[in-house]
Amino acid sequence: MVANKFELKPGGATREAFGKTLVELGRESKDVVVCDADLSKSTYTHLFAKEFPERFFSCGIAESNMVAIGAGLASAGKTAFVSSFSAFVLNKGFEQLRVTAAYPNVPLKVVGTHSGISIGEDGPSQMSIEDISLACSLPGFSVFSPADEVSMAAIMRLATAHPGPVFIRAGRAKTLVVYGPDQQFEIGKAIELVTGTDVVLIAHGLMVAESLKAVDLLAAEGISAGVVDMHTIKPIDREAIIRAAQVGAIVVSEEHLVDCGLGVRVAQVLSETKPCIVEYVGVQNTYAESGTPDAILDKYGLRAANVADAAKRAIARKRG
Amino acid sequence: MNKTSNPQDLAQIAKRVRREIVSMITAAKSGHPGGSLSATEILVTLYFDVMKHDPANPHWADRDRFILGKGHACPVLYSVMAECGYTPLDKLNTFRQLGSIYQGHPDVRFIPALEASTGSLGEGLSLGLGMACAARLNGSPSRAFVVLGDGEIQEGQIWEAAMFGAFHKLDNCVCIVDYNKIQLDGFTKDIMDVEPLADKWRAFGWHTIEVDGHSIEALQAAFAEAAATKGKPTVLIAHTIKGKGVSFMENNPKFHGTAPTAAECEQALKELA
Ligand SMILES: Cc1ncc(C[n+]2csc(CCOP(=O)(O)OP(=O)(O)O)c2C)c(N)n1
Ligand SMILES: [Mg+2]
């Protein structure tokens, strides 16, 4: 049995790491500006507002306007961040993201917090299960979904330095820390956390930690599983996917609708290069409901056990 | 259900509703007390006096429609609907739990008697106006009542809807702004001031009434004036106090979206006895 070399220690929420890194970026450059739509205490942009009130623009509850204000700031040379719950900034702001940021290639930095269904009690109107799909449908956007606070901080820096528009997905819930402080990140380069010979588990966001836990569950049954953190969903790391396909069975797990998230993008790469059996773990063509985050993740099947089950299905199909 | 126009009776119901709001949010350990307590007299007056509806026949075609634009304030809606007999009173304390019909925001999948699933702010007025259009086409006397938050009306869609309502002369739609002067991050005047609010609605062509949103008699008079106003929609700008009825919640932005502790709940229930 291969022991998992990952000790998953409890860490902070990615939204908190976002807010803290934003303050650091603000100290490093006077050009960093932030727009908020009456959620600064939830998105942690209040930390930036406190230190740099003159560079913080309160937009009120008006997300579409906020996105275009941010695009205006970015068009005029500012490093402009706009942030709200992922559900609101992407859904209400989509037309503005398309026409004022993506189409003219304005390097707006969009951060959506409270993504996925792990927000729990507030329920579907505040949950974001289609944000990866929407963001990926904006030509020129780079799309990130960090797994923990370490990767969020690193990706914030990469995204800020990146010359194009970006979307970064953050969560409300506390995460398990996957990475050590020295881990290097590169845009578009997935991280192969564990190598395995029977199946490879590809994931983003909180499903990376669940996939790491699934490695242990599978090892107990004599199955060797690898794990890939696809922190950059666009541009996608084709090489990492092709390498994963060498074992002949892949599971893609995400806190997102399976119909239109990372899974279909992985499948597209495979269909163009090295067809491979894939199983998908995610939200199945439905809106979730209210409940504690744990109860919701259990009910909608976003747990290590669900990943392990999917892995066994994939391996069984591979064996025919 | 027993409808009544007696302000004392309505005030008694409002007191019960406030207690239920505080209790259910405490039990859930999350939720939005402030905006539920500020809208209590508005919803009680609508459901127990003004609106034509029948809990025994929730899909009666000619019923009046109610839409809570500010869906996060659903504890007040759940409590009032339960008091009317639409849903079980003894299940209010399951609010926000897995499987409860009392979801974190109003959800028609769980309570079919709701007119709309809300929670994303800014969309309720358009829905209500659409329903008012349908009533007119059907020759139905049905009216639509839409409650909005003062933060919520910062959404541009509200003003697109406002233009639509006046342009189409939808006098069978009544909008109520719960003007409690507080939104999520703080006081409305500090986040995105909405003043001069009455002038805005008048400029958009609405019959505009400013009213004390905690005075049942004043609300009754304003709703009567709305019913008598023809050729344009009416908006009530209801001046309210966020957290009304619980001393430490009143006018306190903290209680926008924070549940009371058990001790705070006890104190609140004492004040609401
Ligand atoms: C489109 C959208 N943006 C943001 C939110 C998050 N949110 C929930 S309540 C709230 C403040 C609402 O303030 P107000 O409308 O004044 O309501 P009230 O004071 O009556 O509670 C915010 C920003 C949301 N639910 N929908
Ligand atoms: Mg308010």
Side-chain angles (χ1 to χ4, degrees):
Chain A
M1 184 182 125
V2 192
N4 186 347
K5 67 181 161 119
F6 286 92
E7 255 184 86
L8 294 164
K9 294 213 186 76
T14 48
R15 61 173 165 146
E16 192 175 347
F18 152 63
K20 287 180 176 163
T21 311
L22 203 50
V23 174
E24 290 170 16
L25 292 165
R27 288 180 191 145
E28 289 162 27
S29 164
K30 283 194 171 26
D31 281 335
V32 173
V33 299
V34 176
C35 299
D36 163 67
D38 193 27
L39 279 166
S40 71
K41 287 183 189 133
S42 306
T43 61
Y44 280 87
T45 58
H46 70 287
L47 301 176
F48 186 96
K50 199 162 164 235
E51 189 158 332
F52 308 106
E54 71 292 349
R55 287 193 257 145
F56 177 83
F57 296 94
S58 170
C59 297
I61 309 170
E63 296 79 8
S64 17
N65 182 55
M66 173 180 73
V67 167
I69 297 279
L73 282 157
S75 302
K78 296 296 175 192
T79 305
F81 282 84
V82 298
S83 163
S84 179
F85 286 9
S86 209
F88 305 137
V89 69
L90 271 171
N91 291 294
K92 296 237 188 205
F94 191 73
E95 163 68 11
Q96 287 73 15
L97 287 169
R98 179 175 184 267
V99 176
T100 69
Y103 173 37
N105 195 32
V106 166
L108 181 64
K109 314 299 174 191
V110 183
V111 181
T113 67
H114 295 65
S115 61
I117 60 174
S118 55
I119 63 163
E121 287 84 354
D122 270 339
S125 66
Q126 327 283 302
M127 290 170 173
S128 175
I129 52 174
E130 61 286 88
D131 51 352
I132 295 295
S133 168
L134 290 169
C136 286
S137 68
L138 294 166
F141 262 72
S142 300
V143 177
F144 305 95
S145 178
D148 70 356
E149 54 190 9
V150 178
S151 48
M152 172 54 96
I155 284 166
M156 274 289 288
R157 290 184 170 278
L158 292 172
T160 304
H162 179 69
V166 307
F167 170 70
I168 305 176
R169 186 184 215 226
R172 171 178 185 262
K174 292 203 185 312
T175 56
L176 296 169
V177 182
V178 173
Y179 293 107
D182 301 327
Q183 177 72 42
Q184 295 296 305
F185 293 85
E186 220 181 300
I187 292 179
K189 278 273 168 288
I191 296 180
E192 284 152 84
L193 287 162
V194 181
T195 48
T197 51
D198 295 322
V199 61
V200 173
L201 315 175
I202 301 178
H204 66 88
L206 61 73
M207 293 311 290
V208 173
E210 293 302 311
S211 296
L212 288 168
K213 290 188 227 164
V215 169
D216 288 343
L217 298 178
L218 291 163
E221 299 186 39
I223 296 168
S224 161
V227 175
V228 174
D229 173 8
M230 198 64 75
H231 56 74
T232 308
I233 295 169
K234 192 183 168 191
I236 201 157
D237 187 343
R238 298 171 70 87
E239 298 310 316
I241 295 168
I242 295 166
R243 273 195 301 279
Q246 276 159 12
V247 306
I250 289 175
V251 175
V252 184
S253 306
E254 54 190 325
E255 200 190 355
H256 192 274
L257 286 169
V258 291
D259 314 65
C260 54
L262 172 64
V264 294
R265 298 178 64 77
V266 168
Q268 184 182 17
V269 172
L270 293 171
S271 72
E272 289 167 351
T273 55
K274 188 173 172 52
C276 176
I277 284 162
V278 186
E279 289 282 330
Y280 304 92
V281 174
V283 181
Q284 307 283 341
N285 195 32
T286 187
Y287 294 99
E289 64 196 280
S290 296
T292 61
D294 279 339
I296 293 297
L297 292 170
D298 285 344
K299 175 158 180 185
Y300 290 86
L302 292 172
R303 292 301 208 184
N306 306 105
V307 178
D309 285 346
K312 285 186 265 181
R313 287 198 302 274
I315 291 166
R317 284 173 56 202
K318 170 169 76 168
R319 293 190 179 137
Chain B
M1 69 172 290
N2 292 325
K3 289 188 71 172
T4 172
S5 298
N6 180 324
Q8 278 79 43
D9 293 346
L10 292 167
Q12 278 310 312
I13 300 170
K15 198 170 247 187
R16 269 206 311 277
V17 166
R18 284 205 163 86
R19 287 202 295 270
E20 285 156 6
I21 290 168
V22 170
S23 300
M24 85 173 89
I25 297 174
T26 307
K29 298 196 180 71
S30 71
H32 301 80
S36 303
L37 295 168
S38 63
T40 299
E41 280 83 7
I42 297 167
L43 268 81
V44 167
T45 305
L46 282 171
Y47 271 89
F48 283 88
D49 181 19
V50 175
M51 288 200 315
K52 295 195 178 64
H53 66 115
D54 179 4
N57 189 9
H59 292 111
W60 168 37
D62 286 340
R63 70 189 181 281
D64 289 339
R65 266 60 171 186
F66 178 82
I67 292 164
L68 186 64
K70 38 172 252 179
H72 59 277
C74 55
V76 63
L77 178 58
Y78 294 155
S79 167
V80 167
M81 287 182 78
E83 288 283 343
C84 288
Y86 282 101
T87 52
L89 265 172
D90 62 0
K91 291 279 190 301
L92 286 173
N93 280 0
T94 64
F95 179 46
R96 290 181 161 242
Q97 287 175 22
L98 190 70
S100 172
I101 62 164
Y102 300 120
Q103 291 279 297
H105 289 78
D107 188 329
V108 296
R109 299 175 306 169
F110 289 82
I111 303 180
L114 286 166
E115 304 291 353
S117 297
T118 52
S120 180
L121 297 167
E123 296 166 16
L125 184 56
S126 310
L127 272 173
L129 289 163
M131 293 174 188
C133 289
R136 190 158 70 189
L137 283 173
N138 294 340
S140 164
S142 165
R143 294 195 293 158
F145 294 86
V146 183
V147 170
L148 305 177
D150 53 348
E152 177 177 19
I153 62 172
Q154 293 157 353
E155 287 285 359
Q157 185 181 344
I158 295 295
W159 303 98
E160 298 175 25
M163 258 187 285
F164 179 96
F167 179 73
H168 290 284
K169 301 185 172 55
L170 290 160
D171 52 23
N172 55 348
C173 181
V174 181
C175 175
I176 303 100
V177 179
D178 179 0
Y179 196 7
N180 59 27
K181 284 78 174 180
I182 294 177
Q183 50 192 110
L184 187 146
D185 265 342
F187 291 93
T188 303
K189 68 172 172 33
D190 300 325
I191 306 291
M192 181 58 59
D193 200 357
V194 296
E195 283 293 330
L197 189 54
D199 288 348
K200 280 195 180 69
W201 285 98
R202 281 193 195 104
F204 274 75
W206 286 56
H207 181 63
T208 304
I209 307 172
E210 295 203 60
V211 60
D212 173 351
H214 298 306
S215 162
I216 286 165
E217 277 121 324
L219 285 166
Q220 288 172 316
F223 284 123
E225 186 177 324
T229 301
K230 298 297 167 202
K232 51 162 83 169
T234 293
V235 61
L236 272 54
I237 297 177
H239 293 275
T240 57
I241 294 168
K242 201 153 173 169
K244 172 76 176 174
V246 179
S247 58
F248 57 90
M249 291 188 186
E250 284 193 3
N251 214 25
N252 181 356
K254 178 188 159 190
F255 283 101
H256 164 76
T258 307
T261 62
E264 285 169 339
C265 176
E266 201 178 311
Q267 166 74 24
L269 292 179
K270 241 179 246 161
E271 293 182 20
L272 294 167

